[in-house]
Amino acid sequence: QVQLVESGGGLVQAGGSLRLSCAASGSTRSINVMGWYRQAPGKQREWVASISSGGSTNYADSVKGRFTISRDNAKNLVNLQMNRLKPEDTAVYYCNALTTINNYWGQGTQVTVSS
């Protein structure tokens, strides 16, 4: 089992920055890929960014060039640095951990970007 706890959400004006963190505990050695997803009101959950255990990163086109995902394997942390935020980035952001047999989710953290 893997437990994920997100932190760092909040309210920010358009153009501002926020940094989300996700702390993993439990069977962390089984984690292959960690990532961030988001869900806006009335919309489906969508993938934002992911990072492999080796450090390879991928981003959704909507956030490429503005968001940066990073991972500290020693501390079992994954961060999402979000710059030049837009109102359309408003959503609940969820941390995700993928093992070979399971998919784990955090409880989510709210990010609100005002115009």
Side-chain angles (χ1 to χ4, degrees), residues 26-107:
S27 302
T28 57
R29 290 186 178 183
S30 65
I31 298 174
N32 295 322
V33 178
M34 295 194 75
W36 290 92
Y37 288 70
R38 67 187 182 187
Q39 187 167 18
K43 294 187 176 181
Q44 290 189 332
R45 189 172 298 188
E46 64 175 2
W47 168 72
V48 175
S50 58
I51 184 167
S52 71
S53 56
S56 297
T57 58
N58 286 285
Y59 299 92
D61 287 343
S62 59
V63 306
K64 200 171 294 184
R66 299 188 299 122
F67 290 11
T68 302
I69 189 170
S70 61
R71 182 171 177 173
D72 186 333
N73 289 327
K75 296 181 179 180
N76 298 314
L77 287 174
V78 62
N79 299 308
L80 186 68
Q81 178 65 42
M82 306 185 294
N83 298 327
R84 304 201 309 274
L85 283 160
K86 304 175 181 179
E88 51 263 43
D89 294 318
T90 295
V92 177
Y93 283 70
Y94 296 91
C95 180
N96 174 265
L98 185 63
T99 70
T100 54
I101 58 173
N102 269 318
N103 197 16
Y104 297 94
W105 296 94
Q107 82 286 353

